[in-house]
Amino acid sequence: MSYIDLKSPPKREDRLKACIAHGGTICEMAGAKGKKSCLHDDGERSFTQGSICLILPALAMLNTLPDNVVLLHSAIGCGGCTHSQNTNVRFGSNARWGRPKDGVWLSTAMDETDVITGGEEKLEQAIIEADRRYRPFSITVVAGCVPGIIGDDIDGVVQRVQPQVTAKLLPVHCEGFKTKIWATAYDAVYHGIGRTLLSPGEQSPTGDGLAPFKGLERLPRTVNLMNVSSMGRVDEVELERLLTTLGLDVNVFPVFAHPENMVKATQAALSVSTCPTHDDYFLGYLEERFGVPSLIRHMPIGIENTGLWLRDVAARFGEEEKAERIIEHEERELREALEVFRPVFEGKRVFISAGEFRALATARLLEELGLTVTGIRSFHHDEFAEGEYRKLADSSKDDYVVDVANVQPFEEANLLKRIKPDLFLGHANGNGTAAKLGIPTHVIYNTGLAYIGYRGVYEVARRLYRQLKNPIYNRKLGENLRLPYSDAWYTADPFSHIDQRGGTAA
């Protein structure tokens, strides 16, 4: 039975053997294929600090969908991250359609009485009211921890209420206590889309997968460009530019895609991932049910990775020669433009923190700019990143530390004190530790800035150049602020709280 036939997707600990606890080095990770280099059992750390729930990345995707209401079925306060995420929704809608538009989200705000008596009746009433008030194309019913704990059947509620409303109802399971790998959220969102908005219909009679399903025609030069909620419109435009230069039509999916048009993804000739961590679950489903093949090897961040990504796409359409001409032209112009920055970057050491694939791809980009990578903290580890570790191990002159951690700022602070990098790249809300240590910081993604493709290389270089030329703000922070850790912790093994391991940091 396919995963998509289940009510909810399996957690990534089970499906991909993903893990969140490991302290090692880039060369060790590059050679770890076939070995159990991570721990993924409960209690993988004897002390843990500062993680997030998978409901946050799920809502970051769902709130972007036009003509959709997000109905959160959980406790009061759950999903409050949507208030800050709405900035991206407004900015993204303005960049795409010329006017800012708020996301629409509601909550059943379950209380103590609901926990005792059950919240299904309240959820039914909320769905009906959301449909009456907003008349959306779809209502996404997102389950948080509380209904999962008390046993509310949101799928059963959706089935009962669907005949009473005009909106299509999508159940999405985001019970945060079920997994420590928050990337499972992407699977949960895609699971709801696949089960509700992409009807399997009839396969081609020969079983060759050439027809998506009866009544819809295959689009032979159309590719699904899989975007992510951390990708702004400027990055989509850059990848569209490269793909259209190859003579291809582009269907950007799923962030900011209208639910009514999502069925177009089943007609494409190819799906192209921009982040394997984000896309693998859904691309497997598109190939299994609709015969849409996929590419899920490279993230187009940096010169080398963008070229590899483009070559892979071109090879599927017999456009290899055209791709080589594009790459040669783009790289020549880019390398000339980067020369002005290289004297400032030379000898500068950088530490990177992000989701695994983005962290590793960005590390390669920084090496191409002439910076020296001295450490990486990735939020989890799974099989899709093995090739990226090998790329970095092959390109680096020296070995350096890798911390697999679902945030864990106490480990990060220890490592930064030891390594003393000249620059730190991390999430916007995760740069505080480095900044308080006086280290210049730059956000590793921002939906208003360019990071991807050839343009992204130049724009990242330009921003880092300015940051390194004027680091005084962070230096002042380091002189006047302190982190809440004892001096003894900074001399301890940063990985000493990882169970069954007594490793040492580089």
Side-chain angles (χ1 to χ4, degrees):
M1 182 173 65
S2 170
Y3 290 136
I4 208 75
D5 295 321
L6 304 173
K7 283 188 176 181
S8 60
K11 59 184 182 179
R12 291 202 174 192
E13 292 95 322
D14 295 335
R15 185 172 69 85
L16 296 176
K17 304 304 178 189
C19 63
I20 54 171
H22 185 70
T25 69
I26 193 69
C27 292
E28 177 193 352
M29 296 298 288
K33 187 174 183 180
K35 301 178 183 178
K36 185 181 178 182
S37 61
C38 293
L39 309 171
H40 56 269
D41 299 327
D42 287 341
E44 76 289 327
R45 279 183 173 85
S46 58
F47 173 75
T48 185
Q49 180 189 38
S51 183
I52 68 169
C53 172
L54 78 163
I55 211 163
L56 189 153
L59 293 178
M61 293 178 67
L62 294 170
N63 282 318
T64 70
L65 303 184
D67 204 11
N68 174 69
V69 170
V70 174
L71 175 56
L72 185 61
H73 185 46
S74 196
I76 295 173
C78 184
C81 58
T82 298
H83 292 296
S84 61
Q85 289 175 351
N86 196 54
T87 302
N88 280 343
V89 176
R90 290 179 60 84
F91 187 89
S93 58
N94 185 60
R96 289 163 177 83
W97 306 303
R99 61 187 181 94
K101 192 176 188 303
D102 294 308
V104 180
W105 74 285
L106 311 172
S107 174
T108 56
M110 300 176 73
D111 56 22
E112 291 89 342
T113 301
D114 299 318
V115 172
I116 296 169
T117 64
E120 292 185 11
E121 183 178 348
K122 176 181 275 190
L123 177 59
E124 287 187 23
Q125 294 170 355
I127 292 172
I128 293 170
E129 175 61 19
D131 185 67
R132 183 197 67 80
R133 184 180 299 185
Y134 297 102
R135 294 298 178 191
F137 177 84
S138 58
I139 298 174
T140 309
V141 181
V142 182
C145 289
V146 174
I149 293 171
I150 67 175
D152 277 1
D153 181 8
I154 70 164
D155 298 89
V157 171
V158 163
Q159 284 185 327
R160 290 196 301 272
V161 178
Q162 183 65 83
Q164 304 175 49
V165 298
T166 58
K168 286 195 173 185
L169 305 180
L170 287 73
V172 176
H173 290 267
C174 285
E175 299 90 348
F177 64 88
K178 290 185 176 180
T179 177
K180 296 176 184 177
I181 310 292
W182 65 67
T184 302
Y186 307 134
D187 305 344
V189 172
Y190 280 132
H191 195 83
I193 291 173
R195 283 170 61 86
T196 309
L197 298 176
L198 307 179
S199 174
E202 298 181 23
Q203 296 292 324
S204 60
T206 61
D208 59 11
L210 294 179
F213 52 82
K214 188 175 180 179
L216 289 181
E217 179 185 359
R218 179 71 71 199
L219 304 173
R221 300 286 291 183
T222 295
V223 297
N224 292 324
L225 177 63
M226 309 300 292
N227 62 357
V228 297
S229 55
S230 60
M231 179 191 295
R233 180 58 186 156
V234 62
D235 284 334
E236 292 174 4
V237 169
E238 168 68 355
L239 295 183
E240 287 177 354
R241 177 182 73 85
L242 295 174
L243 293 174
T244 54
T245 305
L246 286 176
L248 303 176
D249 299 318
V250 181
N251 176 43
V252 181
F253 178 90
V255 177
F256 286 102
H258 194 288
E260 188 174 13
N261 299 328
M262 287 186 176
V263 71
K264 185 178 179 181
T266 67
Q267 298 176 264
L270 180 69
S271 295
V272 186
S273 172
T274 57
C275 177
T277 295
H278 191 278
D279 300 330
D280 84 287
Y281 186 84
F282 188 70
L283 295 189
Y285 170 65
L286 280 180
E287 188 154 3
E288 173 190 334
R289 290 291 177 94
F290 303 102
V292 181
S294 60
L295 289 171
I296 189 167
R297 288 208 303 163
H298 306 289
M299 192 171 192
I301 291 178
I303 301 172
E304 178 187 31
N305 282 323
T306 298
L308 292 171
W309 185 86
L310 194 61
R311 287 185 177 100
D312 280 356
V313 176
R316 294 297 184 101
F317 296 93
E319 299 289 358
E320 292 92 336
E321 291 185 7
K322 185 181 292 186
E324 292 303 325
R325 290 195 298 271
I326 295 169
I327 292 168
E328 191 278 331
H329 171 75
E330 296 284 342
E331 290 190 2
R332 184 179 66 253
E333 285 196 343
L334 179 58
R335 293 184 190 281
E336 291 175 359
L338 292 175
E339 284 303 312
V340 67
F341 305 126
R342 293 191 184 278
V344 171
F345 294 156
E346 186 177 358
K348 295 296 190 301
R349 304 160 74 245
V350 59
F351 192 102
I352 303 158
S353 169
E356 185 170 47
F357 228 89
R358 183 177 282 269
L360 300 177
T362 302
R364 185 71 189 104
L365 159 61
L366 297 179
E367 288 180 340
E368 291 169 337
L369 295 179
L371 292 151
T372 300
V373 177
T374 58
I376 294 175
R377 193 264 304 275
S378 63
F379 294 145
H380 83 283
H381 172 60
D382 62 42
E383 63 188 52
F384 289 103
E386 290 174 354
E388 299 305 304
Y389 283 111
R390 288 193 290 273
K391 284 182 194 175
L392 291 172
D394 291 342
S395 63
S396 178
K397 296 179 181 178
D398 300 307
D399 203 3
Y400 53 84
V401 68
V402 174
D403 183 20
V404 179
N406 54 343
V407 186
Q408 310 304 337
F410 73 99
E411 290 179 357
E412 176 188 78
N414 183 307
L415 290 169
L416 293 177
K417 271 278 194 176
R418 290 166 175 267
I419 296 170
K420 296 181 173 55
D422 301 296
L423 182 66
F424 179 92
L425 270 72
H427 284 204
N429 57 358
N431 284 350
T433 298
K436 290 178 181 179
L437 289 172
I439 301 168
T441 59
H442 184 64
V443 63
I444 202 164
Y445 79 82
N446 180 309
T447 56
L449 302 175
Y451 292 86
I452 286 178
Y454 296 111
R455 177 180 178 181
V457 174
Y458 179 80
E459 292 296 333
V460 168
R462 189 169 63 91
R463 295 194 298 269
L464 296 184
Y465 176 83
R466 294 202 305 266
Q467 184 72 50
L468 289 170
K469 289 283 284 186
N470 186 17
I472 190 65
Y473 176 72
N474 289 51
R475 287 180 183 171
K476 291 292 185 183
L477 288 178
E479 292 169 4
N480 292 280
L481 298 173
R482 71 180 303 273
L483 295 169
Y485 307 114
S486 68
D487 292 338
W489 170 240
Y490 291 123
T491 60
D493 178 357
F495 306 132
S496 57
H497 287 282
I498 297 178
D499 290 351
Q500 303 173 18
R501 189 192 190 285
T504 56

